[in-house]
């Protein structure tokens, strides 16, 4: 018996209509006061009061989320939004979720209900006026949940780190902004290369070349061109590639290009820790993050070495930094000598730059929107 | 009702403990609830997918490695991007996730939703996929995590008719992937933020609609990302994560409400928290009056951030465009640099579109395979790039002039 087709299988495909227009997704108070806001005020961790020129007030209440959500949790969030924020909600650029309340008396009920129903904590905010900062969500990637090139997992480490640093999310306990980010490989999906503290999955062994797979599936010239150190050469005779092991620093870009160059190695893959990246222009120019720990092992499910190192860096910085002084600014004041001394991290030759491919000219370009008219 | 049986996952179970919301609980919730829904008579094509993911992930935790293979190329009819093929290397052990493709769905600008829209997406994904999502992917899309090749087109159709058959206020289109314009994203901008210097949501929506073809049908050397930040706080990390970062700014004086400053003086130490932290010492406070030397101000936002009731960006507003931002491969990570110090951001955004189109034409002509636009500028030089966009060199593009005399004098050597 032929199975009956669903309408989705027989309907005419429709293309190029784009996302919904944002205006139909806005809470009426937000729509009415669009572009006409007077000021905001952080009421308590997780709760931001926004006052419009019209006199309208809306409370934006923020909750941490694991980013990977089941549709059943999204539906729970919808139930809560229907009850408390008139059927509207939004997500932030760091995967938190926000509700909009017009009645401040309902804030505590909302916080309680979100905690009970989906277990999401209220927080992830900061208050620049007082100079008291919460730790917000960790931007992260797919890891072993969905990617084929990771050197580490993403969701697992994020959970382990946030469990340990939970109190910083729900309260404003830090002297300045501190963004923690994680990328599961050197492709660095996300802004891991410009975060206060970042974790990046790294390999430490050369790829194992599977000549058969290279012949079957790889376009050799573009695979060779993908190697940043010129460690790959075409092997014309055998119709494959040769690797100069001395030139390879295990970036994994050749495996991205070519299934015949698998590079993962469970005992040697792991996590590098970087610090001092910064994106906003406030006070101090944007910075790329810098490696301070070359490698820590993958130790699922709790990654204790990674968690303890991140915690150590965060708490050392928090104990010594002045108000508003982000990790990069703190290091700028005290110097790298003192940074390694205070954090107890070891400086080794592995931390001295040798990625000679990046042109020096880049350091002269203005990587910031801060300049004088 | 019969209990739903889950695979044994002793390692992942550890990550159900602790105060932070657990992604393991989310996967288990999807596994349990989708099976329950199916038993209750709902149409569910992949009831075992979330369960399969649990099995694969537990094995990854045990083996300390991924179990996903290089993806085959999959797509929906008419598009060349937006879907990422993913296959498991354990097809015999866990056939339910042998295919586990991702669909990127273009989010509304600023990630604002009605519950009707979200419920509709959930209902369609419950039917055609694993029931797992990311809210959101790093570029901004809704990530529908895990379905089979034969369900991609029906799911795309469900999204395209989401308003007609699932109760959404509007349909949702697929987002970008591959060597195409990726899904543009924007900070919340004027919807909520009093700092916004232009309408980030509207620009984001307008560019997305104008360039649907470039987004859905990869035609370029590599990917190209646009992000819209309403002010230099850069709350979507545009300068690190977008080839073309549109960052709100202003040209005239910061607006000061002296009475409100005095109110702040009662609760904060203006000298210490504001004046001392100004990077150019452009701001001063004598206990009575706050003064800003706007000629010296570099619009870093710090003073406005600390005293939002008293200080506001100026009235002559627009954006600074930073180009080249990207992750490391191949020539190193880039925070974008100044290409256009000031540009007007007014509907229908023709000036911005002319620049984008000039860039794309040049890059498509000159770019090598998988050469990002920022790397092309490094290879060809800023002089050529500025000619392409019809702009003059400006000292604001650099932190410092060159430190060597090896200058091209092409006009003398034709």
């Amino acid at each position: 018996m032929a199975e009956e087709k669903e309408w989705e299988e027989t309907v005419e495909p429709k293309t190029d209509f784009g996302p919904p227009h944002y205006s139909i997704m806005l809470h009426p108070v937000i729509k009415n006061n669009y572009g006409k806001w007077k000021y905001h005020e952080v009421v308590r961790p997780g709760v931001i009061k926004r006052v419009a020129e019209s006199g309208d007030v809306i409370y934006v209440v923020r909750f941490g989320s694991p980013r990977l959500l089941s549709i059943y949790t999204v539906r729970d969030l919808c139930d809560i939004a229907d009850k408390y924020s008139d059927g509207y909600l939004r997500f932030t650029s760091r995967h938190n979720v926000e509700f909009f309340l017009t009645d401040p008396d309902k804030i505590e009920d909302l916080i309680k209900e979100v905690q009970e129903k989906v277990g999401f904590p209220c927080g992830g905010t900061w208050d620049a006026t007082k100079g008291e900062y919460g730790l917000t969500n960790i931007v992260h990637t797919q890891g072993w949940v969905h990617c084929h090139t990771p050197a580490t997992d993403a969701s697992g480490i994020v959970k382990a780190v946030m469990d340990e640093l939970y109190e910083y999310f729900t309260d404003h306990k830090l002297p300045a902004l501190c963004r923690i980010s994680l990328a599961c490989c050197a492709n660095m999906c996300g802004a891991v290369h410009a975060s206060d503290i970042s974790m990046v999955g790294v390999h430490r062994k050369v790829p194992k070349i599977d000549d058969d797979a290279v012949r079957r599936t790889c376009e050799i010239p573009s695979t060779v061109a993908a190697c940043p150190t010129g460690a790959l050469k075409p092997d014309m005779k055998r119709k494959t590639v040769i690797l100069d092991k001395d030139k390879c620093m295990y970036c994994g870009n050749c495996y991205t290009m070519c299934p015949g160059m698998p590079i993962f190695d469970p005992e040697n893959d792991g996590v590098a820790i970087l610090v001092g990246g910064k994106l906003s222009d406030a006070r101090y120019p944007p910075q790329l993050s810098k490696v301070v720990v070359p490698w820590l092992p993958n130790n699922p499910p709790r990654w204790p070495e990674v968690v303890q190192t991140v915690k150590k860096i965060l708490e050392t910085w928090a104990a010594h930094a002045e108000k508003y002084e982000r990790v990069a600014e703190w290091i700028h004041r005290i110097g790298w000598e003192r940074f390694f001394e205070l954090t107890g991290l070891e400086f080794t030759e592995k931390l001295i730059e040798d990625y000679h491919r990046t042109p020096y000219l880049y350091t002269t370009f203005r990587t910031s929107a801060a300049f004088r008219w | 009702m019969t209990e739903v049986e889950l695979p044994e996952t002793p390692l992942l179970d550890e990550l159900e403990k602790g105060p932070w919301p657990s992604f393991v609980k989310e996967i288990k919730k999807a596994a349990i609830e989708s099976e329950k829904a199916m038993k209750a008579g709902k149409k569910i094509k992949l009831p075992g997918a979330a369960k399969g993911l649990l099995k694969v992930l537990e094995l990854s935790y045990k083996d300390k490695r991924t179990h996903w293979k290089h993806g085959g190329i999959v797509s929906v009819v008419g598009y060349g991007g937006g879907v990422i093929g993913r296959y498991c290397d354990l097809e015999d052990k866990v056939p339910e996730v042998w295919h586990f493709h991702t669909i990127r769905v273009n989010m509304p600008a600023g990630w604002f939703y009605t519950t009707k829209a979200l419920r509709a997406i959930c209902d369609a994904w419950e039917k055609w996929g694993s029931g797992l999502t990311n809210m959101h992917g790093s570029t901004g899309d809704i990530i529908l995590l895990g379905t089979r090749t034969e369900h991609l087109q029906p799911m795309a159709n469900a999204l395209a008719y989401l308003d007609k058959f699932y109760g959404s206020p509007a349909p949702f289109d697929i987002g970008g992937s591959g060597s195409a314009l990726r899904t543009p994203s924007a900070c919340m901008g004027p919807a909520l933020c009093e700092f916004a210097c232009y309408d980030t949501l509207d620009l984001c929506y307008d560019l997305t609609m104008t360039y649907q073809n470039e987004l859905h049908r990869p035609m370029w050397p590599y990917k190209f990302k646009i992000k819209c930040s309403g002010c230099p706080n850069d709350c979507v990390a545009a300068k690190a994560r977008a080839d073309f970062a549109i960052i709100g700014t202003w040209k005239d004086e910061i607006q000061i409400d002296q009475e409100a400053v005095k109110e702040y003086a009662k609760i904060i130490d203006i000298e210490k928290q504001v004046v001392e932290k100004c990077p150019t010492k452009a701001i001063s406070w004598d206990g009575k009056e706050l003064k800003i030397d706007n000629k010296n101000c570099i619009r870093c936002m710090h003073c406005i951030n600390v005293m939002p009731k008293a200080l506001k960006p100026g009235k002559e507003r627009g954006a600074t465009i930073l180009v080249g931002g990207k992750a490391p491969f191949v020539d190193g990570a880039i925070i974008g640099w100044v290409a256009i110090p000031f540009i007007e951001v007014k509907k229908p955004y023709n000036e911005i579109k002319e620049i984008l189109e000039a860039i794309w034409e040049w890059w498509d002509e000159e770019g090598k395979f998988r050469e990002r636009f920022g790397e092309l500028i490094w290879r060809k030089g800023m002089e050529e790039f500025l000619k392409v966009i019809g702009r003059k060199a400006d000292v604001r593009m650099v932190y410092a002039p060159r430190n060597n005399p090896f200058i091209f004098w092409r006009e003398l050597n034709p």
Side-chain angles (χ1 to χ4, degrees):
Chain A
M1 195 180 75
E3 216 174 298
E4 206 180 312
K5 291 224 167 184
E6 304 289 339
W7 71 262
E8 287 99 329
E9 293 170 292
T10 55
V11 78
E12 190 64 28
K14 206 167 66 170
T15 62
D16 300 283
F17 52 90
H21 194 269
Y22 57 92
S23 66
I24 60 175
M25 299 291 173
L26 299 178
H27 188 286
V29 172
I30 294 175
K31 205 170 172 176
N32 290 338
N33 297 286
Y34 194 89
K36 289 177 281 185
W37 294 100
K38 210 166 163 191
Y39 65 86
H40 73 276
E41 189 181 297
V42 182
V43 180
R44 50 150 282 184
V47 181
I48 302 171
K49 177 184 178 184
R50 294 190 176 271
V51 180
E53 284 164 11
S54 66
D56 286 352
V57 175
I58 201 155
Y59 293 84
V60 182
V61 188
R62 183 177 295 174
F63 297 88
S65 134
R67 187 179 87 114
L68 194 165
L69 299 183
S70 72
I71 54 165
Y72 304 97
T73 295
V74 177
R75 282 179 186 157
D76 288 343
L77 295 172
C78 288
D79 289 344
I80 294 167
D82 284 339
K83 188 168 166 190
Y84 290 94
S85 62
D86 309 302
Y88 297 88
L89 69 162
R90 80 176 282 265
F91 293 82
T92 71
S93 60
R94 295 188 79 87
H95 320 311
N96 298 307
V97 57
E98 291 180 340
F99 299 89
F100 313 113
L101 273 67
T102 46
D103 180 359
D105 293 339
K106 290 193 177 145
I107 292 172
E108 291 309 316
D109 292 344
L110 167 75
I111 292 171
K112 208 170 141 220
E113 191 156 337
V114 171
Q115 183 69 54
E116 273 167 15
K117 214 162 183 177
V118 295
F120 291 4
C122 185
T125 51
W126 58 91
D127 183 343
T129 299
K130 290 186 186 145
E132 295 167 354
Y133 291 75
L135 177 70
T136 188
N137 217 330
I138 299 183
V139 166
H140 63 280
T141 49
Q142 297 297 19
W144 297 334
V145 169
H146 203 258
C147 192
H148 67 297
T149 68
T152 189
D153 187 39
S155 309
I157 305 186
V158 166
K159 163 77 174 146
V161 171
M162 286 310 283
D163 276 343
E164 193 67 31
L165 302 179
Y166 184 76
E167 59 182 306
Y168 296 105
F169 184 89
T170 54
D171 206 349
H172 292 167
K173 286 178 125 178
L174 298 170
L177 269 185
C178 183
R179 304 311 201 195
I180 305 183
S181 306
L182 181 143
C184 48
C185 84
N187 274 311
M188 296 198 193
C189 304
V192 172
H193 53 301
S195 297
D196 296 270
I197 302 177
S198 3
M199 300 166 271
V200 178
V202 290
H203 305 287
R204 296 192 302 161
K205 299 280 274 187
V206 297
K208 297 172 204 78
I209 301 176
D210 176 344
D211 292 325
D212 256 358
V214 173
R215 286 182 203 114
R216 266 196 340 264
T217 61
C218 297
E219 196 202 33
I220 290 175
S222 53
T223 302
V224 167
C227 177
T229 60
L232 281 176
K233 283 204 180 85
D235 181 342
M236 304 298 275
K237 221 171 176 180
R238 297 169 54 243
K239 294 189 167 55
T240 181
V241 291
I242 313 173
L243 176 74
D244 181 343
K245 288 181 183 173
D246 289 339
K247 285 189 181 170
C248 174
M249 43 53 175
Y250 341 106
C251 71
N253 204 28
C254 57
Y255 181 60
T256 298
M257 299 296 295
C258 168
M261 313 276 306
I263 189 165
F264 55 78
D265 178 327
E267 293 318 310
N268 286 295
D269 290 351
V271 180
I273 311 282
L274 289 73
V275 306
K278 181 175 182 297
L279 267 165
S280 88
D281 285 328
R283 301 173 306 282
Y284 190 72
Q287 301 290 321
L288 289 170
S289 315
K290 277 100 180 156
V291 181
V292 291
V293 179
W295 183 81
L296 293 167
N298 276 327
N299 202 350
R302 284 275 165 196
W303 280 268
E305 298 85 354
V306 174
V307 170
Q308 288 314 317
T309 306
V310 169
K311 189 180 183 187
K312 175 84 186 158
I313 293 169
L314 179 110
E315 292 189 339
T316 307
W317 158 77
H320 291 86
E322 294 172 358
K323 242 181 211 194
Y324 304 117
E325 199 173 56
R326 291 179 67 164
V327 173
E329 296 164 89
W330 172 58
I331 295 171
H332 178 71
R333 175 168 62 85
I334 65 166
W336 285 103
E337 308 86 318
R338 207 67 67 234
F339 170 84
F340 281 96
E341 195 179 295
L342 289 170
T343 54
L345 299 174
E346 189 193 2
F347 185 87
T348 70
E349 72 283 359
K350 303 268 187 278
L351 305 184
I352 301 176
E353 180 67 278
D354 51 13
Y355 196 76
H356 49 73
R357 185 165 179 126
T358 307
Y360 170 82
L361 62 87
Y362 172 58
T363 62
T364 72
F365 289 0
R366 188 188 303 265
T367 53
S368 159
F371 49 76
R372 291 168 179 87
W373 291 119
Chain B
M1 177 162 287
T2 50
E3 278 282 308
V4 175
E5 243 180 83
L6 292 176
E8 275 190 30
T9 52
L11 292 171
L12 290 174
D13 293 352
E14 283 298 315
L15 293 173
E16 286 189 84
K17 300 170 186 165
W20 186 250
S22 166
F23 70 100
V24 177
K25 279 188 185 157
E26 291 299 321
I27 305 175
K28 287 191 177 179
K29 192 165 167 183
I32 292 166
E33 295 300 323
S34 63
E35 198 166 314
K36 274 192 198 163
M38 191 187 63
K39 283 175 185 162
K42 265 198 188 175
K43 280 180 186 163
I44 290 181
K45 306 286 181 184
L46 297 172
K51 220 186 253 192
L53 179 64
L54 274 176
K55 285 189 213 166
V56 171
L57 197 56
E58 179 71 12
L59 273 171
S60 278
Y61 271 54
K62 193 168 144 258
D63 301 341
K64 302 187 198 178
R65 53 159 284 198
T66 187
H67 280 292
W68 302 104
K69 294 194 286 191
H70 252 269
I73 294 168
V74 288
S75 190
V76 297
V77 173
Y79 291 172
V83 182
I84 294 97
R86 189 66 72 220
Y87 299 89
C88 187
D89 67 2
L90 301 162
E91 62 242 55
D92 301 334
K93 268 192 196 158
V94 200
E96 52 277 38
V97 290
W98 175 29
H99 299 210
F100 204 66
H101 311 322
T102 282
I103 303 175
R104 291 186 183 158
V105 180
N106 197 328
M107 73 297 184
W111 302 282
F112 286 90
Y113 293 98
T114 67
T115 53
K116 275 188 183 153
L118 282 178
R119 283 181 203 281
I121 292 171
C122 290
D123 292 349
W125 189 233
E126 182 176 43
K127 183 172 176 184
W128 295 104
S130 68
L132 294 168
T133 74
N134 290 145
M135 300 298 276
H136 293 78
S138 295
T139 292
D141 299 284
I142 301 165
I143 304 296
L144 301 178
L145 201 61
T147 192
R148 293 183 57 83
T149 307
E150 63 270 29
H151 297 154
L152 292 171
Q153 191 59 45
M155 183 63 201
N157 292 343
L159 290 167
Y161 293 89
L162 210 64
D163 47 341
K164 282 217 174 85
F165 299 109
Y166 281 97
S168 168
F172 279 72
D173 206 340
I174 307 286
S177 76
S179 295
L181 174 65
R182 300 299 186 83
T183 305
S185 73
C187 70
M188 63 189 181
L192 283 170
C193 185
E194 71 273 22
F195 300 163
C197 296
Y198 70 91
D199 191 339
T200 51
L201 304 187
D202 196 65
L203 176 63
C204 179
Y205 180 76
D206 191 303
L207 293 177
T208 306
M209 295 311 290
T210 305
Y211 300 116
Q212 281 287 292
N213 192 35
E214 287 77 1
L215 190 154
H216 292 307
R217 297 167 195 91
M219 55 181 85
W220 291 332
Y222 206 2
K223 64 181 91 170
F224 191 95
K225 300 188 181 191
I226 301 173
K227 289 190 191 296
C228 309
S229 278
C231 83
N233 281 327
D234 196 5
C235 291
V236 282
K239 59 173 89 72
R241 303 205 282 183
D243 301 82
F244 195 85
I246 307 167
I247 300 188
T249 192
W250 64 93
K251 282 198 101 167
D252 53 347
E253 295 86 45
I254 290 180
Q255 305 177 58
I256 308 175
D257 176 343
Q258 295 292 351
E259 288 312 307
V261 174
K262 281 176 196 150
E263 287 303 308
Y264 275 116
K266 293 175 189 165
I267 55 165
I268 65 170
D269 184 341
I270 293 179
E271 183 63 32
K272 210 162 179 243
Q273 288 177 245
V274 180
V275 175
E276 281 177 22
K277 293 287 174 188
C278 175
T280 57
K281 305 286 170 253
I283 193 163
S284 60
W285 165 248
D286 60 7
K288 287 185 196 121
E289 199 187 356
L290 190 83
K291 283 186 192 151
I292 297 176
D293 172 7
N294 286 283
K295 245 350 239 169
N296 242 329
C297 168
I298 56 175
R299 301 171 312 289
C300 86
M301 292 298 295
H302 178 75
C303 59
I304 300 177
N305 287 341
V306 177
M307 303 195 288
K309 291 178 189 171
L311 302 178
K312 281 195 178 9
K315 289 177 177 165
E316 194 190 342
R317 297 177 180 190
T320 297
I321 290 176
L322 275 61
V323 295
K326 65 181 249 326
F329 290 125
V330 177
D331 288 341
I334 305 181
I335 295 175
W337 66 88
V338 176
I340 301 178
F342 188 84
I343 192 164
E344 281 216 343
V345 190
K346 292 240 167 74
K347 231 175 159 62
Y349 312 114
N350 284 337
E351 212 184 340
I352 290 175
K353 288 175 189 171
E354 277 163 23
I355 289 190
L356 279 169
E357 286 163 27
I359 286 171
W360 293 338
E361 202 185 315
W362 176 61
W363 177 46
D364 204 21
E365 188 68 31
E366 301 287 344
K368 295 183 188 176
F369 178 61
R370 287 172 77 87
E371 182 174 40
R372 289 289 281 272
F373 160 62
E375 293 169 334
L376 175 67
I377 301 178
W378 286 358
R379 184 161 63 83
K380 292 292 211 170
M382 276 293 278
E383 188 180 353
E384 183 168 337
F385 167 65
L386 290 172
K387 245 180 233 160
V388 165
I389 61 168
R391 298 271 166 159
K392 286 199 170 120
D394 190 308
V395 64
R396 296 170 184 89
M397 293 166 186
V398 298
Y399 278 133
R402 65 193 305 152
N403 66 0
N404 61 72
F406 305 125
I407 297 166
F408 285 107
W409 294 99
R410 292 188 177 99
E411 62 274 34
L412 302 180
N413 299 278

